[in-house]
Amino acid sequence: MSILKLQGRTRAQESSGAIERMYITMRHLFNRGFYKPMGVSGDTLRESLLTLRPEIYGSIANDKAELEGLLYVIDRLPHGIEECRFINLTSDEGYGNSHFKPIVPPKRRRNCYRIDEEQMNIEITRGRSEIYDILTHLTFLFVESHKIMKRVLIDEDGSVNRDWEKLEFAVKHQGDLTQAQREVALTHTASILGRTFHEISNLYPKFSTPNNPDRFLRIIWSLGNMAIREGVKNEKRIITFSPVLRERLGHHIHGEIWANDIKSCLKENNLMDRPLHIISANMHSVMNTLYTPYALKAELKKKKALDIYEELSDSGNGSLRNKVNKAALDKGMFFIEDRSGTNIDVQIFDTAKLEEGFNNTKFSDLKPEEKPVIIVMDYAFGEQAYETMDELLKPYSLKDEELKMNVKSISIMGKAGILEGGKGDIMIPDAHLFEGTADNYPFENQLKKSDLEGHDINVVDGAMITVLGTSLQNKDILRFFHDSTWNVCGLEMEGAHYQKAIQAASRLRRSISEDVEVRYAYYASDNPLETGSTLASGGLGTSGVKPTYLITEKILDQIFNS
C-alpha cells in the first residue's frame, strides 16, 4: 500500500514539476519574442505537456489521435489556424480598423485576423493567462499533427500512403461530397488517426459548420500537410509575439480603460456615493432574477420561475429575453458594452428604481440614497481578474479630485471543476490556493454551505485551487490536492487573482473599506477526476441553470438584507 501511495505521490510531483517547467518556459519564450513549436526551442514545452498528460487532452501521449481534445482546442482557436505556418500573438494594434475581418473562436471571445494564406494574428487583451491558454492548445495541435505525419509518410522523400492520397482527393474535391464519397474519406481518415470508423463518424458532425460541412476532413488534412512540410521540407511553424504586446503586457492598459468607463457611468448618474455591490457573473442571471417578476408576470402565473429561467437561457427565445431586457433598461439598468479590449461587458443596476425591491425585502424602509447599486461584470479570464478588479477598486481620478468608491461587497460566481461530486453541484470555498506557488488566500465567505443546502443540489465546501490553466491538470495532481490536508474541493482560474486585488485595496491601499464583504460560490462544469466528465466532454446544458440561479438569489438576498 505504501509503495502505491509513493508511486501516486511521485506522479503528482512529476506533474507539478511539469506545470512549473511549462510556465517558466512560456515566459522565457515570450521574452525571447519567437519560437518554433516543433523545433529545439519548443522541446521543453512539448516534453512537459507529454509528461503531464492533461485529462482534457486525453490520449495525447499515445500514437492514436485524440479527437475529443482536438474538438475542445479547435473550438477555442480561430477558424483556419491549422492551415497557418506563422502565428503572431499581438496586442490591440488597430486591425479592427483595417479590411481584415475578425475571426472569433466559438468558445473564446478574442479577435483573430487571417493576414494571408500562411499567417494568423491573435489579439491578446486578457493578460498572460490568455497566452498560456493559446500556447498550450497550439502545442497540443502540433503534437497531434506530427502523429498524423508519422502514420502517412512512407519515406524521407515525402512519399505518402494510399490513405493520405484518398483523404487529399476528398479535401480538394470541388463542391459538396456525396454521402458515399464522405464515408470513403472517413474510412481512410479513421485509418490515419488510428480510430474506428464509428468513432470518426460520431465526432465528424461536431466539427461541421453551415458553410463547411466537411470541415473535419479539412482540419485533419491541413494538420498533416503542415507537419509533412516541417518533416520533409524543414518549413517549421513559427509562433511570434509582437513587440507592442511584449511592451504592454502587465501594464493594465485595457483594465484601466474598462474601469474608468464604469466609474464615469456611476459619476454621471450620481451613483458613486451609493452602497456599491460588485458581482462577477454572467450577463443574464442577475438581470433575469431582478426583472423577471416585472417583465413576465403573465408567464409566472403559468410556470415556475426556474422553468422561465431555463427558457431564458435558450438563445432561441429572443422575444422572451427582449421583454426582460427592456424592463431592465426601463427600471434602472445601464449597460456598458466593452470598448477597452477586455471583452468584459458590464451592467449597472440602480435598485432605487425597483419599486417593490427583491424577494419581499424591507426595501421601502430605505431612503433612495441607501438603496444598493449593483455592478455586474462578465467573467474575467485567469490573471485578467487581478487587472480588472485592481483597477476597478482604485479611486476615480476626476480633474484634481480622487473619489473613493463606497464598495460594500464583492461577490464572485462562476463555473469550476469539482473534485467531489458532479456537474451542476455547488462549491463554497473558504480559501484560494494559487497553483505553482506558496500563495494562499483564506477569507471569510459570507455565503455558507447551509445557505444553499435543501434545494436538491449537492453542496461542498473547502479550499479551491486557482490553476494556471484548465488544460494543464491531470488526475494524479488533482487527487493529491483532494486527498491531502489541503482539503481542496475544486479548481478554477480567477479566485486567487480576485482575492489578491480585494485584499490589496481593502487592507493595504485602503481605497475601499476594510470591512468589505466577500462572497464566492461556484457551480461545477465538470469533474476532471471522472473519465468522461472533463470539460472536453461537453457543456452543462440546462443542468447549469438551477445552481446558477440559486447562487444568484442567495447573493441578492444578502445584498438587499445587508
Side-chain angles (χ1 to χ4, degrees):
M1 187 68 179
S2 59
I3 293 171
L4 287 173
K5 279 187 178 178
L6 187 62
Q7 286 175 339
R9 190 177 173 206
T10 304
R11 177 79 182 106
Q13 289 170 329
E14 198 178 69
S15 302
S16 184
I19 291 172
E20 199 172 335
R21 282 196 305 278
M22 285 189 76
Y23 282 95
I24 291 169
T25 303
M26 284 192 272
R27 286 200 173 207
H28 164 71
L29 295 172
F30 175 74
N31 290 332
R32 183 185 182 208
F34 75 97
Y35 79 105
K36 297 174 182 176
M38 299 309 288
V40 175
S41 51
D43 275 350
T44 307
L45 211 50
R46 291 197 314 274
E47 287 167 10
S48 298
L49 196 66
L50 292 169
T51 299
L52 184 61
R53 299 195 293 280
E55 295 305 311
I56 217 155
Y57 294 152
S59 56
I60 183 174
N62 299 348
D63 288 338
K64 64 180 181 179
E66 169 50 43
L67 298 180
E68 294 284 0
L70 180 62
L71 179 60
Y72 180 85
V73 165
I74 285 293
D75 279 346
R76 285 156 179 79
L77 291 173
H79 192 103
I81 197 164
E82 68 279 357
E83 301 168 4
C84 296
R85 186 179 161 210
F86 301 98
I87 297 165
N88 187 25
L89 273 56
T90 73
S91 180
D92 180 358
E93 298 176 23
Y95 292 104
N97 301 320
S98 67
H99 77 281
F100 298 114
K101 188 178 177 183
I103 306 167
V104 181
K107 299 286 178 73
R108 280 283 185 270
R109 287 184 300 169
R110 57 170 71 106
N111 289 331
C112 310
Y113 301 92
R114 185 76 178 261
I115 304 303
D116 54 39
E117 283 187 6
E118 287 196 306
Q119 181 174 333
M120 180 73 74
N121 280 15
I122 303 175
E123 264 185 16
I124 305 295
T125 58
R126 306 175 86 169
R128 284 191 184 88
S129 296
E130 191 168 19
I131 294 174
Y132 301 155
D133 189 56
I134 290 166
L135 294 189
T136 311
H137 291 338
L138 289 174
T139 303
F140 165 82
L141 207 60
F142 297 157
V143 167
E144 289 297 307
S145 74
H146 273 242
K147 286 186 196 174
I148 296 168
M149 176 192 71
K150 287 171 186 174
R151 293 184 78 98
V152 301
L153 270 185
I154 295 172
D155 56 41
E156 293 178 359
D157 296 331
S159 300
V160 292
N161 62 19
R162 182 171 177 270
D163 288 322
W164 186 253
E165 289 173 351
K166 293 294 182 183
L167 171 60
E168 190 168 55
F169 176 80
V171 168
K172 294 185 175 180
H173 180 269
Q174 296 294 318
D176 293 340
L177 297 173
T178 65
Q179 182 65 16
Q181 288 172 326
R182 185 175 292 118
E183 288 185 355
V184 168
L186 288 178
T187 301
H188 293 291
T189 306
S191 177
I192 291 167
L193 299 178
R195 294 284 188 172
T196 65
F197 178 77
H198 176 71
E199 287 175 308
I200 298 289
S201 300
N202 282 346
L203 211 64
Y204 174 83
K206 295 180 182 178
F207 286 86
S208 299
T209 63
N211 298 329
N212 191 358
D214 298 309
R215 184 178 172 222
F216 176 72
L217 299 177
R218 180 87 195 179
I219 288 170
I220 299 303
W221 179 81
S222 297
L223 286 173
N225 183 50
M226 295 304 293
I228 290 168
R229 286 170 61 184
E230 275 190 324
V232 176
K233 299 179 181 178
N234 203 32
E235 294 179 3
K236 299 288 186 189
R237 283 170 282 196
I238 299 173
I239 294 175
T240 52
F241 306 91
S242 80
V244 178
L245 174 65
R246 291 161 66 202
E247 179 189 323
R248 285 181 179 176
L249 196 74
H251 290 184
H252 291 200
I253 290 168
H254 303 287
E256 186 178 3
I257 296 167
W258 173 84
N260 282 337
D261 283 349
I262 297 168
K263 293 166 192 173
S264 173
C265 181
L266 291 170
K267 182 64 180 168
E268 284 170 18
N269 293 284
N270 299 314
L271 302 174
M272 188 70 94
D273 297 325
R274 295 263 297 278
L276 301 175
H277 299 266
I278 299 167
I279 303 176
S280 170
N282 52 61
M283 286 283 99
H284 55 80
S285 59
V286 174
M287 179 181 72
N288 290 346
T289 305
L290 287 175
Y291 294 98
T292 293
Y294 297 89
L296 304 176
K297 284 180 182 175
E299 287 83 351
L300 280 169
K301 288 176 183 175
K302 302 171 192 172
K303 297 176 182 176
K304 292 179 181 176
L306 186 63
D307 295 331
I308 300 284
Y309 294 147
E310 283 192 3
E311 288 181 28
L312 287 167
S313 69
D314 181 356
S315 56
N317 280 323
S319 59
L320 210 60
R321 286 178 161 199
N322 289 338
K323 272 188 184 180
V324 178
N325 195 54
K326 184 179 184 305
L329 290 167
D330 290 344
K331 288 183 177 286
M333 182 180 87
F334 303 90
F335 179 70
I336 305 174
E337 188 170 2
D338 178 61
R339 66 174 188 91
S340 66
T342 60
N343 282 311
I344 300 176
D345 294 332
V346 174
Q347 297 161 327
I348 297 175
F349 299 97
D350 177 3
T351 65
K353 295 184 180 174
L354 285 170
E355 295 89 349
E356 297 167 34
F358 171 74
N359 267 8
N360 303 315
T361 52
K362 294 179 181 177
F363 200 61
S364 55
D365 299 346
L366 296 174
K367 296 174 184 175
E369 63 270 18
E370 295 173 335
K371 292 182 178 178
V373 172
I374 300 170
I375 302 166
V376 178
M377 56 182 282
D378 209 345
Y379 297 124
F381 187 76
E383 287 186 22
Q384 186 192 35
Y386 175 75
E387 175 180 339
T388 49
M389 190 61 75
D390 184 56
E391 291 296 329
L392 182 57
L393 299 180
K394 286 178 182 175
Y396 183 37
S397 297
L398 192 66
K399 296 177 182 175
D400 299 327
E401 196 178 4
E402 278 209 337
L403 304 173
K404 287 187 177 181
M405 294 172 71
N406 184 21
V407 179
K408 296 293 185 185
S409 78
I410 300 169
S411 305
I412 311 298
M413 179 184 80
K415 290 184 289 189
I418 195 167
L419 302 183
E420 189 181 328
K423 289 186 178 185
D425 290 352
I426 291 175
M427 290 154 278
I428 305 294
D430 54 22
H432 287 293
L433 317 175
F434 190 19
E435 181 183 50
T437 72
D439 299 352
N440 51 77
Y441 299 87
F443 49 84
E444 179 64 34
N445 194 344
Q446 296 302 310
L447 285 172
K448 308 296 179 190
K449 184 179 177 181
S450 56
D451 294 331
L452 293 128
E453 287 179 322
H455 297 274
D456 296 323
I457 295 179
N458 183 42
V459 184
V460 296
D461 57 7
M464 291 189 74
I465 321 170
T466 297
V467 298
L468 294 158
T470 52
S471 54
L472 291 182
Q473 311 306 314
N474 66 25
K475 287 182 181 177
D476 301 286
I477 196 165
L478 294 176
R479 219 171 253 125
F480 167 73
F481 274 115
H482 179 251
D483 297 343
S484 70
T485 52
W486 285 111
N487 187 32
V488 169
C489 65
L491 62 147
E492 48 73 59
M493 279 187 68
E494 293 80 30
H497 303 299
Y498 277 130
Q499 192 59 26
K500 178 182 172 185
I502 294 165
Q503 287 180 194
S506 61
R507 297 184 185 179
L508 299 175
R509 292 176 172 171
R510 311 284 182 184
S511 54
I512 62 171
S513 169
E514 193 174 352
D515 298 326
V516 65
E517 294 184 338
V518 294
R519 302 179 192 91
Y520 288 90
Y522 299 90
Y523 54 95
S525 57
D526 65 301
N527 184 333
L529 289 180
E530 287 182 9
T531 303
S533 294
T534 65
L535 281 172
S537 66
L540 272 163
T542 56
S543 65
V545 173
K546 187 173 180 179
T548 301
Y549 282 91
L550 177 59
I551 294 168
T552 304
E553 285 192 3
K554 294 302 175 185
I555 289 172
L556 291 174
D557 272 336
Q558 290 194 3
I559 288 172
F560 279 92
N561 288 300
S562 60

